[in-house]
Amino acid sequence: MPKKKQSLAEKLSLTTGVQLILVAGSLSVFSFSLGRQGAIQQREALRARIPVVQVSEQLSKKLSYPTIINELNEAAIAADPELLNDFDRLSNRFWRQLQSFPVDYINFGGTNGIFLGLEKTDQSEILHYEDSERFGRGTMAVFSMTNTGNRLKQEDSIPGMSATHQEAWYVDTVKAGKPTWSSIYAWEDKPDTFSISYNAPIVNNDQQLLGVVGVDMIINQLSTWLQDAWDSNQGLALIVEANGDLVASSSPGLTLITENGEVRRANISEIK
């Protein structure tokens, strides 16, 4: 008996477990439910399926980039383990990948708490973040970069970093013991920035953990992507978790809420 081909929804459910809910009009709702039977539940005319499928296919493509980058970096580190001891070379590698792939952030964290991350900002500027012995552990040094991928000048210094990695990108990956998507989390150095990331544990020949390498999708920027993907279609597109917390919205201002001076994600129950 031939094996049944996986639907797009089933493939995506293996990666994120989030749902894409598209409100195609003032009263009509389509649900592209990742990881559930009956991927698209129709609530109005068949013509509205077209933007649903188009956006879900674009999301599928976007989710593939972090897995590709991680596989490349795992292979590079396996071939040259000293890469983890040379943050300038590793930074240059991440810089080239940010130039080549539409992702927001690539990073490595060691078991001893050291950290290197490169971020592509909304203005397409690339910043180098490092918490290491050479700049003083416990402080995140932030550098601008040249157009050839080298550190330029220090732009900021963020004190009070934790001695060990406590964020979901690291903790979830170590717990899983294999490449995996993290839960959504707020950055330690930027509490109003939220990410979901795909990460892989890095081990030596004796299978001892050396750290975690990963790629972040910053949900603050994912709403901008969804806004462009939804384009001129009527209504609202939302990416939500199973509990209703928003991951992204085609109306970016709806995704995050400031409450009592702290930023949190909105829940779908709060969307009018």
Side-chain angles (χ1 to χ4, degrees):
M1 182 177 179
K3 185 178 180 181
K4 181 182 176 183
K5 186 176 180 181
Q6 277 188 321
S7 70
L8 175 63
E10 290 169 330
K11 290 179 181 177
L12 293 179
S13 72
L14 296 176
T15 58
T16 64
V18 300
Q19 301 175 39
L20 174 60
I21 294 179
L22 304 177
V23 183
S26 59
L27 298 175
S28 303
V29 177
F30 275 83
S31 174
F32 188 86
S33 182
L34 309 187
R36 298 187 180 186
Q37 297 298 319
I40 301 177
Q41 299 172 348
Q42 186 166 333
R43 300 290 188 221
E44 70 167 61
L46 180 63
R47 63 179 174 79
R49 281 196 181 201
I50 296 174
V52 173
V53 174
Q54 289 175 337
V55 172
S56 64
E57 288 178 343
Q58 290 179 61
L59 178 60
S60 177
K61 183 177 181 181
K62 188 172 181 63
L63 292 173
S64 71
Y65 294 124
T67 62
I68 294 170
I69 294 170
N70 258 19
E71 288 172 359
L72 291 172
N73 287 334
E74 285 182 87
I77 295 168
D80 182 11
E82 283 303 309
L83 191 57
L84 297 182
N85 298 322
D86 189 341
F87 271 10
D88 286 333
R89 276 205 300 143
L90 190 59
S91 172
N92 190 261
R93 178 180 181 82
F94 291 170
W95 180 89
R96 293 196 307 271
Q97 291 171 337
L98 285 175
Q99 298 290 327
S100 303
F101 293 93
V103 296
D104 308 315
Y105 202 97
I106 307 174
N107 62 269
F108 167 76
T111 54
N112 59 352
I114 60 174
F115 177 84
L116 171 68
L118 265 68
E119 177 188 7
K120 185 191 296 178
T121 68
D122 290 336
Q123 295 75 38
S124 295
E125 178 187 12
I126 296 181
L127 299 175
H128 171 120
Y129 293 80
E130 184 171 336
D131 179 2
S132 67
E133 286 84 357
R134 65 175 175 173
F135 298 124
R137 277 302 325 278
T139 298
M140 185 76 78
V142 185
F143 296 85
S144 56
M145 302 191 75
T146 68
N147 58 9
T148 56
N150 297 313
R151 281 187 295 110
L152 188 56
K153 63 176 181 177
Q154 187 166 344
E155 301 288 346
D156 199 2
S157 181
I158 306 171
M161 304 303 295
S162 58
T164 57
H165 302 297
Q166 304 296 326
E167 295 168 322
W169 66 269
Y170 189 91
V171 175
D172 290 356
T173 307
V174 172
K175 183 178 180 180
K178 61 182 181 179
T180 185
W181 284 93
S182 74
S183 54
I184 295 176
Y185 64 97
W187 288 6
E188 181 182 8
D189 55 325
K190 295 182 179 179
D192 58 347
T193 298
F194 294 83
S195 283
I196 184 171
S197 59
Y198 185 77
N199 314 281
I202 301 298
V203 298
N204 61 17
N205 291 333
D206 297 324
Q207 297 303 301
Q208 292 179 317
L209 182 69
L210 301 177
V212 170
V213 65
V215 181
D216 277 58
M217 291 173 60
I218 301 174
I219 70 169
N220 308 54
Q221 298 178 20
L222 189 59
S223 287
T224 302
W225 171 86
L226 184 58
Q227 183 181 44
D228 292 340
W230 190 235
D231 195 22
S232 58
N233 293 300
Q234 291 185 338
L236 182 67
L238 302 172
I239 302 177
V240 303
E241 291 190 274
N243 66 359
D245 285 348
L246 267 61
V247 178
S249 167
S250 61
S251 180
L254 298 177
T255 311
L256 301 176
I257 292 176
T258 300
E259 189 175 74
N260 299 323
E262 295 186 354
V263 178
R264 65 171 178 86
R265 288 189 291 142
N267 189 278
I268 194 170
S269 64
E270 299 172 295
I271 304 302
K272 297 181 180 179

